[in-house]
Amino acid sequence: MTPEPLFPTGTDEPMATPPPGCPAHGIGPGGLRRLYGPEAEDLGALYEKLRAEHGTVAPALLHEDVPIWVVLGHAENLHTVRTPSQYSRDTRLWTALQDGTIKPDHPLMPIIAWQPICCHAEGDEHLRLRGAVTGAMSTIDHRGIRRSINRATQELVNRFCEEGRADLVSQFAEHLPMAVMCEILGMPDEYNDRIVQAARDMLKGTETAIASNAYIMDVLMRLTMSRRAEPRDDFTSHLINHPARLTDEEIGQHLRVVLIVSYEATANLIANVLRVVLTDPRFRAQLKGGEMTVPEAVEQSLWDEPPFSTIFPYVAKQETELGGQRIRKGDALVFGIAPGNVDPRVRPDLKANMQGNRSHLAFGGGPHECPGQDIGRAIADVGVDALLARLPDAQLDCEEHELRWRASISNRHLVELPVRFAPKPPRDVTQRPFNNPAPRQRTTTWQVDAPQSQPSPAVSAAPAPPATMEPARRTRLFRRFLRWWRGE
């Protein structure tokens, strides 16, 4: 028998509020647990309580006590995102939006409001919009981007390397992805502290989230108008000129999605990887000893601390059943990335190494799987490796238990990651690769003076180049000069 819903939808009557003195009193209407506020300071623990109480799909309350289902099981999450015939990302189908339960000033409105973007579209419209995004992404020069990531890393490290101390969250992890994404979109001049702060704020569900969203959109709409008038070789211009012929509003909204999702996910990913390197001696030893590469460390982090803990809403297009729960038409569901990644049915031992296993939920799945995941991985891989090469002696500058987190329904964000290290001189980020001295032979730690144009592999040994390489290099440079002189 299918159990009745535990919160009201349609014509069902709400459950009575628990009487005073009941252990569930004050949790929320119907005795449901809230996914916000003091009751949800530790969402990881809350998800486990919901799993114990309800199984793989549980009822809960969003901000302002809006009812929603939380999908906790790994298989159930995959079914939700891979079955567009049953579950839609079109938020206009959500009963709570249709009947006014969700007010226009709801703190999560920038996330849940319908927008003319591929994330909220279905069928042919989804194919048109997503085709434009993936088409523009296909024009990105990935080798060039990796050089840009390395250059941006060196510039950020130059800002604090002489001080011997730094906060790798506010001074590095929160800045590197924005610097790179602004360059990819074609607006490097817009990269500054203000846009970083606005991007951080709009996903928190704060009172200023709507204003932060408006600022981001103003920047992106100005970029759209500029590139329509004068196209360049950047992501925005290719998106505008795609055969799908997106409108200015569609362009601006898709730029917002690409910028914010890529930025937020990658900032959290970088911070999480660095935290583990600095706090887990075994993890760091594996990196230094060659048992694990930085990309493998990134994948492990995507299992343990996914950049986004949830994505919502998915809306039921028809009455159905999921995880033993009766889901009504118009009900909304939370795609539970973090709880799905620790589903005991797929990870009975959370300490087990997940190297080589990419079946985590960090990048979603189905027709709405993240199209920019390779860019996010590249920023994290290159950025972390290049940082560790510059600061191989970095140590955590506080006790591990003193680290603080800021949690929201969307993610769990490390507030700061203070480190200390021996002061280092700045580097000339404009220096070309062939002007650098030949790298010394690799040791068991990261090489501090590795060439700047390409990040050093985290652990592989590289023998010193043979003496015959220098004459050959000069010959190639001389031939290149002759070709330039002749106009060839």
Side-chain angles (χ1 to χ4, degrees), residues 119-137:
C119 302
H120 292 168
E122 291 188 275
D124 292 341
E125 184 66 0
H126 174 262
L127 293 176
R128 180 182 77 90
L129 296 174
R130 186 175 174 97
V133 173
T134 56
M137 284 188 173

Side-chain angles (χ1 to χ4, degrees), residues 345-481:
R345 297 176 301 176
V346 296
R347 291 186 70 186
D349 180 7
L350 296 181
K351 295 181 180 180
N353 195 305
M354 302 300 288
Q355 287 186 35
N357 188 335
R358 284 194 172 190
S359 61
H360 53 72
L361 304 175
F363 296 116
H368 296 290
E369 183 175 4
C370 176
Q373 55 187 276
D374 290 339
I375 295 295
R377 281 189 172 101
I379 296 174
D381 293 348
V382 176
V384 169
D385 196 23
L387 174 75
L388 295 176
R390 287 286 300 275
L391 309 175
D393 58 337
Q395 299 291 329
L396 191 65
D397 199 20
C398 68
E399 297 297 326
E400 183 177 353
H401 69 269
E402 295 177 334
L403 294 175
R404 297 181 295 115
W405 303 83
R406 183 171 56 244
S408 70
I409 181 64
S410 296
N411 57 35
R412 182 171 177 259
H413 182 76
L414 188 63
V415 174
E416 58 186 1
L417 189 62
V419 295
R420 64 181 184 278
F421 48 86
K424 309 287 192 302
R427 282 193 172 181
D428 180 6
V429 298
T430 64
Q431 188 177 12
R432 291 188 60 84
F434 50 75
N435 289 332
N436 285 345
R440 296 196 306 265
Q441 184 173 350
R442 276 290 196 179
T443 64
T444 56
T445 187
W446 289 281
Q447 186 171 325
V448 179
D449 55 355
Q452 298 165 22
S453 65
Q454 55 184 11
S456 309
V459 291
S460 59
T468 57
M469 286 184 65
E470 188 60 27
R473 180 180 298 162
R474 292 177 179 173
T475 301
R476 289 196 300 270
L477 289 175
F478 182 71
R479 289 175 180 172
R480 190 182 306 168
F481 171 79

Side-chain angles (χ1 to χ4, degrees), residues 7-10 60-69 90-106 109 112-114 312-316 328-333:
F7 52 73
T9 55
L61 298 171
L62 280 179
H63 298 63
E64 299 182 357
D65 290 341
V66 174
I68 198 164
W69 294 101
D90 187 342
T91 59
R92 295 173 296 183
L93 303 177
W94 191 357
T95 300
L97 275 173
Q98 295 175 350
D99 64 15
T101 299
I102 298 178
K103 303 298 188 293
D105 61 349
H106 192 279
M109 188 57 73
I112 62 181
W114 181 87
F312 61 92
Y314 278 78
V315 184
R328 296 293 185 90
K329 179 181 179 180
D331 281 0
L333 303 93

Side-chain angles (χ1 to χ4, degrees), residues 70-113:
V70 183
V71 186
L72 304 166
H74 189 274
E76 288 76 12
N77 271 297
L78 286 178
H79 177 77
T80 301
V81 300
R82 291 177 176 176
T83 315
S85 61
Q86 294 181 349
Y87 303 101
S88 172
R89 288 280 285 131
D90 187 342
T91 59
R92 295 173 296 183
L93 303 177
W94 191 357
T95 300
L97 275 173
Q98 295 175 350
D99 64 15
T101 299
I102 298 178
K103 303 298 188 293
D105 61 349
H106 192 279
L108 295 178
M109 188 57 73
I111 299 175
I112 62 181

Side-chain angles (χ1 to χ4, degrees), residues 187-209:
M187 54 177 201
D189 294 340
E190 296 287 353
Y191 163 62
N192 54 35
D193 289 340
R194 184 180 181 186
I195 197 169
V196 169
Q197 293 167 1
R200 294 235 50 82
D201 180 62
M202 63 179 291
L203 291 171
K204 297 177 187 175
T206 64
E207 295 179 355
T208 57

Side-chain angles (χ1 to χ4, degrees), residues 193-264:
D193 289 340
R194 184 180 181 186
I195 197 169
V196 169
Q197 293 167 1
R200 294 235 50 82
D201 180 62
M202 63 179 291
L203 291 171
K204 297 177 187 175
T206 64
E207 295 179 355
T208 57
I210 293 177
S212 295
N213 179 65
Y215 167 71
I216 295 288
M217 284 306 304
D218 177 66
V219 170
L220 297 176
M221 292 310 297
R222 285 191 282 107
L223 174 65
T224 300
M225 291 185 289
S226 173
R227 289 299 181 268
R228 274 213 190 273
E230 186 179 349
R232 298 182 185 178
D233 186 17
D234 54 38
F235 178 89
T236 301
S237 298
H238 289 296
L239 188 63
I240 291 173
N241 295 324
H242 191 272
R245 301 302 178 194
L246 273 61
T247 65
D248 282 356
E249 182 183 10
E250 291 172 335
I251 294 291
Q253 293 291 352
H254 281 89
L255 291 177
R256 170 184 175 271
V257 171
V258 170
L259 176 66
I260 299 302
V261 174
S262 299
Y263 163 74
E264 176 70 7

